């Protein structure tokens, strides 16, 4: 883990205690984490942060989580928070989002340049998978150079290549996984389509 590479030793949190008294136990655990960081800082990444809202609406998470996160962001000097997701913050309508995000910086990530998108496709699998130039061109075209869609397509592509025991990606390989890629992205595709259709 990143903590081990940075020579920071962290104990595992006691999940039973956290379930019984989530906010108090989380504070105690974070005190221990910050003490072990010395001069270092820790970044906490919340991927697909919009699912917090779904959990609140389902009654599985208390809306108080947003106040707690805001408190942590304001008072934990060694912790940084990164929220990543597909929804624009301005489209999230519940009041608790404003509690959390009116103290944050917002950066929208759009399409990559061609060289960066190509590197995102090829570098993580260098030495394991090779690509025909036409296969790379097709991936760049169908993903619109967007990092999220490149990641979805490449994850499915690697799974497909492992299942088929192949290590060279052709245009036909890409065509074979495209239908699955769109199906695997359905929720996000619908969201983005709605965004551009309105």
């Amino acid at each position: 883990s990143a903590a081990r590479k940075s020579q920071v030793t962290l104990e595992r949190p006691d999940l039973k205690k956290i379930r019984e008294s989530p906010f108090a136990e989380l504070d105690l655990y974070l005190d221990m984490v910050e003490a072990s960081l010395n001069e270092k800082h820790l970044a906490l990444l919340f991927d697909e942060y919009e699912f917090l809202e779904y959990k609140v609406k389902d009654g599985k998470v208390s809306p108080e989580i947003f106040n707690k996160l805001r408190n942590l962001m304001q008072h934990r000097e060694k912790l940084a928070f990164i929220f990543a997701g597909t929804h624009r913050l301005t489209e999230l309508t519940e009041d608790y989002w404003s509690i959390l995000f009116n103290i944050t910086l917002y950066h929208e990530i759009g399409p990559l340049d061609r060289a960066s998108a190509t590197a995102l496709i090829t570098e993580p699998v260098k030495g394991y998978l090779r690509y025909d130039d036409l296969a790379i061109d097709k991936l760049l075209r169908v993903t619109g150079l967007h990092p999220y869609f490149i990641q979805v397509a490449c994850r499915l592509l690697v799974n497909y290549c492992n299942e088929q025991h192949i290590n060279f990606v052709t245009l036909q390989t890409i065509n074979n996984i495209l239908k699955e890629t769109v199906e695997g992205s359905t929720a996000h595709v619908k969201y983005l389509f709605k965004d551009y259709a309105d």
Side-chain angles (χ1 to χ4, degrees):
S1 80
R4 277 197 297 275
K5 289 178 185 173
S6 300
Q7 299 176 344
V8 174
T9 304
L10 299 176
E11 293 179 25
R12 289 184 181 268
D14 185 332
L15 296 180
K16 183 179 178 191
K17 286 183 178 178
I18 288 178
R19 281 188 198 99
E20 291 169 1
S21 181
F23 298 132
E25 287 299 322
L26 181 61
D27 275 328
L28 290 172
Y29 182 72
L30 290 176
D31 288 342
M32 184 271 302
V33 168
E34 283 190 314
S36 68
L37 291 174
N38 298 319
E39 298 301 314
K40 295 180 167 89
H41 290 77
L42 178 66
L44 301 173
L45 173 63
F46 294 81
D47 194 14
E48 298 184 14
Y49 65 83
E50 55 270 19
F51 281 98
L52 284 172
E53 182 173 336
Y54 306 148
K55 295 291 185 186
V56 168
K57 286 182 177 178
D58 287 345
K60 295 181 179 171
V61 173
S62 167
E64 189 60 30
I65 188 71
F66 295 97
N67 285 325
K68 184 59 182 175
L69 285 170
R70 179 187 172 98
N71 181 276
L72 293 173
M73 291 165 70
Q74 291 178 311
H75 301 291
R76 293 283 178 173
E77 294 179 12
K78 293 186 178 184
L79 300 182
F81 293 77
I82 302 169
F83 294 89
T86 56
H87 290 69
R88 289 192 175 101
L89 297 178
T90 55
E91 294 174 350
L92 297 169
T93 57
E94 297 298 332
D95 289 339
Y96 38 73
W97 287 114
S98 63
I99 289 169
L100 183 60
F101 288 123
N102 66 7
I103 61 167
T104 62
L105 299 174
Y106 173 71
H107 180 73
E108 185 172 343
I109 297 174
L112 301 171
D113 60 74
R114 187 177 177 87
S116 297
T118 300
L120 183 57
I121 292 167
T122 58
E123 290 299 315
V125 293
K126 194 172 187 173
Y128 299 99
L129 276 183
R130 292 178 303 120
Y131 287 86
D132 179 271
D133 288 342
L134 292 174
I136 292 174
D137 287 342
K138 178 94 180 221
L139 271 176
L140 295 175
R141 226 171 347 102
V142 299
T143 60
L145 305 177
H146 199 283
Y148 172 77
F149 294 112
I150 292 171
Q151 185 271 331
V152 169
C154 288
R155 185 189 73 232
L156 293 169
L157 178 63
V158 167
N159 290 344
Y160 178 84
C161 290
N162 286 338
E163 290 167 6
Q164 300 298 315
H165 304 289
I166 56 177
N167 63 2
F168 186 71
V169 178
T170 65
L171 182 58
Q172 184 59 50
T173 313
I174 301 301
N175 290 335
N176 290 344
I177 63 126
L178 279 180
K179 183 175 184 235
E180 189 179 348
T181 301
V182 172
E183 289 171 358
S185 308
T186 301
H188 298 294
V189 170
K190 284 181 181 173
Y191 167 75
L192 291 169
F193 179 76
K194 178 187 175 299
D195 182 47
Y196 288 110
D198 289 345

